[in-house]
Amino acid sequence: MKNTPLTEKHIALGARMADFAGYNMPITYSSLKEEHFNVRRNVGVFDVSHMGEFIVRGKEALNLVQWVTSNDAAKLKTGDAQYSCLPNGKGGIVDDLLVYRLPEDMCAEGEQAFMLVVNAANIEKDWNWISGHNRFDTRLINISEESGLIAVQGPKAVDVLQPLTDVDLKAIPYYNFTKGRLAGVDNVLISATGYTGAGGFELYAANDRISRIWDAVFESGKPLGILPAGLGARDTLRLEMGYCLYGNDIDDETSPLEAGLGWITKLQKGEFIGRDLMLREKEAGIRRKLVGFTVEDRRVPRHGYEIENEAGENIGVVTSGTQSPSLDRPIGMGYVDKAYAAEGTAIGISVGGKKLSATVTKLPFYKGE
Amino acid sequence: MNIPADLKYTEDHEWVRVENGNIAVVGITDFAQKELDELVYVEVETEGETLSQGEEFGTVEAVKTTSELFMPVSGKVVAVNAKLTSDGDDDPTLVNRDPYGDGWIIKVEMTDPDELSGLLDADAYKKLVD
C-alpha cells in the first residue's frame, strides 16, 4: 500500500485509515457527519494526493486531448478547467477526469500544455490508454507520484486561504485556476474546483511542499473551525450533489449518455474515440438512465442492490447509496430502464427479500440550506 | 479500545453477557461501533423466533455501510432493545455511545449454553482486533 505525502499526518491526527485504490487513506477523523456538515457549513480539508496527474505538452497536445476525451478541449483558454471523460471506444468509459489548460510559459513556440487529473485507481490504465493513442507530436509525462493535492472545501474556504496568498481568490471563477505563491510555496496551482458542491479550492503542489501548505491551511483556518475530512465525507458530499464516482456509477460498461454526461460529450467537436458509437446511441435513444432516488424506508440502499418496478420486475441496479446527512434520509443513484426514469416514478429497492419504497428524484439531492 | 473482561465475543464483533443463568444479552463491540461510525438505524425483525448460532438476527445501518448481525449462540430472541429501534426511542447512536450498556441489542433465551465456551474471551478478541 502506498502512502501520500500526508499519510503520517492523518495517522497522527487519529484518523481511521483504509486502503483506497492502493493508497493508505483517511476514512474519518472524528465522525463522518461532523466532517460532512463542517464542509457544508464551514470549511474542511481533504487529502486527495492519491489522484493521478499527467502533463500533455507539445505542438499537437490539443489534438491528443481532443482525440481521447469527449468534451471540447478547444474551448479551453489558459486558466480554464473542464470536466470530461475518456470514452473506451466500445460504448463505455475508461475514466472521468479534469482537463486543465496550462500556461504556455514552459512551452516552446507553437506548443500547448494540459494537465489531466485522473482517478487514483485508474492511473496505470489511463496512462496506457492515452499513451497507446498518442500518434501526435506531443509528450505525455506522468507526475502522479510527485504531485500532492489537497481540497479546501466549504463556504469559508476563501477566508482560510486568502491570508496565505496575494492571488485574489474571489477573482477566480468556478472551474478556473491560477498559479501563484501560497503559504510561501511558489507555483501552487490554485483551482476553483471540487467534488463536494460546497465551493472552495483544490491546491496542487509538489509532494515535498504539500505538507507545508496543509499546515499553513490548518493554522489559518483554526479560528474558523477548520477540520480535516476523510473519504467517508467526500462520498456523502458528492452523492448529495449527484456527482458520479468512477467504479460505482460509471465504468467500462456504462455510456456517458446513460450516465447523464451528455453535457460533456461534444459530438460536434470533430472526430474522437467512441464518437461514432455515441452518435448511433443518441440516434437510437438510450435504453437505461442513471437516476437519483430517495428512499421512504429506513434501510440504506447500497451498490449492487436490484431495482424493481411496482410489479416486482427487475428494472435496474443501484450504483451508489448512503444515508444523506443533510437530508437525514437514505438516498441513492442507479440505472433504471428509461420508462422508469421520470422524476416522481415509484420504484422499489430489493434487499435481502425485502423491498424498500423509493422515488426517482431530481439531482442534486442537496439544494442548499 | 474498550473490551470488558467479563464478556464473551464472536469474530463478527458481537458480545454476549449472561444474565439469570440462561439469558444472553447481545450487542456489538466498541471496535465494531467505531468501525461503522455513527449508526442511523437498527432493524431486528426476529423477536420471538428461535435461531441457530451464526444465523442473521438483524441489521445495522451506518452512513457508509450496512452490517448484518449474527446470533452468537442458539436460542429464542426474547427481547429487543426498544431504545434503539423505531418501535421505541429510535436512538441507534446509543450503540455508539454505550455499546456494552444501554446499547445492547437483543436478549436470547439460550437453547445450548455450552456454545458459550466456544466463543472468544476478552484476550482472544483483543488479539483479533489489534
Side-chain angles (χ1 to χ4, degrees):
Chain A
M1 199 165 33
K2 291 180 190 170
N3 285 341
T4 79
L6 298 166
T7 297
E8 282 176 25
K9 289 196 183 289
H10 308 318
I11 293 168
L13 285 163
R16 204 159 59 76
M17 306 291 290
D19 181 346
F20 181 84
Y23 288 82
N24 192 13
M25 299 297 289
I27 305 302
T28 49
Y29 298 84
S30 51
S31 97
L32 196 161
K33 272 192 186 173
E34 184 183 16
E35 293 165 27
H36 178 106
F37 285 122
N38 204 50
V39 170
R40 279 267 176 269
R41 297 168 180 165
N42 201 20
V43 58
V45 186
F46 301 84
D47 174 19
V48 274
S49 300
H50 60 315
M51 303 286 285
E53 294 88 6
F54 306 151
I55 302 293
V56 186
R57 191 166 67 214
K59 287 198 168 67
E60 296 183 321
L62 174 61
N63 292 349
L64 174 59
V65 174
Q66 284 289 64
W67 178 247
V68 296
T69 68
S70 60
N71 208 335
D72 189 359
K75 292 238 166 73
L76 295 174
K77 303 179 301 294
T78 295
D80 287 346
Q82 181 183 70
Y83 182 57
S84 193
C85 81
L86 304 172
N88 70 2
K90 294 176 188 158
I93 300 172
V94 177
D95 201 2
D96 62 340
L97 75 166
L98 286 186
V99 178
Y100 288 86
R101 176 121 196 191
L102 298 176
E104 278 155 29
D105 50 1
M106 305 275 282
C107 293
E109 178 81 19
E111 293 187 338
Q112 317 95 48
F114 294 85
M115 179 168 74
L116 312 181
V117 181
V118 305
N119 284 297
N122 294 336
I123 293 172
E124 195 183 341
K125 176 176 119 170
D126 294 354
W127 174 260
N128 292 337
W129 176 259
I130 301 168
S131 302
H133 286 94
N134 186 9
R135 55 187 166 79
F136 301 94
D137 180 10
T138 193
R139 282 214 314 143
L140 257 175
I141 308 151
N142 185 352
I143 59 165
S144 304
E145 296 280 316
E146 296 89 57
S147 304
L149 169 58
I150 64 174
V152 183
Q153 300 280 294
K156 290 188 186 161
V158 170
D159 302 329
V160 171
L161 295 176
Q162 193 61 76
L164 303 176
T165 182
D166 290 336
V167 172
D168 182 5
L169 297 175
K170 281 197 174 128
I172 308 176
Y174 191 49
Y175 267 78
N176 278 68
F177 71 95
T178 189
K179 278 191 169 192
R181 188 174 168 84
L182 187 141
V185 177
D186 285 321
N187 266 318
V188 179
L189 193 155
I190 305 167
S191 172
T193 49
Y195 195 47
T196 62
F201 296 86
E202 294 181 296
L203 309 172
Y204 297 80
N207 272 349
D208 54 355
R209 308 283 164 81
I210 202 79
S211 68
R212 186 168 161 189
I213 296 173
W214 174 274
D215 289 341
V217 165
F218 277 94
E219 188 66 32
S220 170
K222 213 172 183 177
L224 300 167
I226 201 166
L227 286 176
L231 294 183
R234 189 168 161 82
D235 194 54
T236 51
L237 288 158
R238 71 94 193 167
L239 192 44
E240 284 185 351
M241 298 309 295
Y243 298 156
C244 289
L245 172 63
Y246 192 88
N248 275 44
D249 312 299
I250 51 174
D251 59 31
D252 272 297
E253 308 295 327
T254 63
S255 92
L257 299 178
E258 291 172 343
L261 299 178
W263 63 281
I264 61 163
T265 54
K266 299 294 160 59
L267 299 173
Q268 303 312 317
K269 74 170 183 172
E271 277 300 313
F272 63 93
I273 296 170
R275 175 174 177 259
D276 293 351
L277 266 176
M278 280 185 225
L279 279 170
R280 264 179 277 156
E281 193 185 359
K282 199 168 181 185
E283 176 95 13
I286 53 172
R287 280 179 302 169
R288 57 174 193 165
K289 194 170 183 294
L290 186 66
V291 296
F293 57 84
T294 47
V295 178
E296 267 68 62
D297 198 277
R298 295 287 300 278
R299 293 290 305 269
V300 182
R302 307 291 182 188
H303 181 83
Y305 289 6
E306 288 190 359
I307 304 178
E308 298 175 347
N309 62 12
E310 288 184 303
E313 297 158 326
N314 180 283
I315 55 160
V317 64
V318 175
T319 55
S320 285
T322 195
Q323 173 81 5
S324 162
S326 302
L327 280 64
D328 197 25
R329 66 185 301 183
I331 58 170
M333 296 202 293
Y335 287 95
V336 294
D337 293 349
K338 214 182 161 217
Y340 300 93
E343 196 184 331
T345 306
I347 56 173
I349 312 295
S350 172
V351 45
K354 287 184 59 167
K355 186 161 148 182
L356 318 178
S357 298
T359 308
V360 174
T361 307
K362 195 174 180 213
L363 297 172
F365 295 104
Y366 179 77
K367 298 172 179 78
E369 284 181 48
Chain B
M1 193 75 57
N2 183 8
I3 305 176
D6 58 334
L7 305 183
K8 292 283 198 173
Y9 299 89
T10 70
E11 291 181 359
D12 301 313
H13 311 287
E14 286 94 12
W15 57 260
V16 179
R17 182 171 53 234
V18 178
E19 285 183 347
N20 307 328
N22 201 33
I23 299 293
V25 185
V26 177
I28 64 169
T29 64
D30 188 34
F31 174 83
Q33 69 79 14
K34 281 200 175 92
E35 285 292 304
L36 289 166
D37 205 276
E38 189 178 314
L39 297 194
V40 298
Y41 183 50
V42 175
E43 182 177 271
V44 180
E45 295 178 336
T46 50
E47 191 168 1
E49 293 180 28
T50 301
L51 301 172
S52 304
Q53 186 178 40
E55 268 194 272
E56 186 181 325
F57 70 84
T59 309
V60 290
E61 295 280 5
V63 175
K64 253 190 97 62
T65 35
T66 302
S67 188
E68 280 85 35
L69 303 169
F70 301 101
M71 295 288 280
V73 289
S74 305
K76 185 177 176 184
V77 180
V78 290
V80 178
N81 186 353
K83 286 185 181 168
L84 308 180
T85 64
S86 45
D87 298 333
D89 299 349
D90 200 5
D91 183 10
T93 62
L94 255 186
V95 176
N96 299 99
R97 300 200 305 274
D98 191 8
Y100 302 111
D102 282 348
W104 65 273
I105 299 173
I106 58 168
K107 293 186 181 181
V108 178
E109 194 177 288
M110 291 184 281
T111 50
D112 186 4
D114 289 349
E115 288 170 346
L116 288 168
S117 59
L119 300 180
L120 304 174
D121 63 18
D123 282 346
Y125 182 68
K126 187 169 191 303
K127 280 195 189 103
L128 181 77
V129 299
D130 264 352

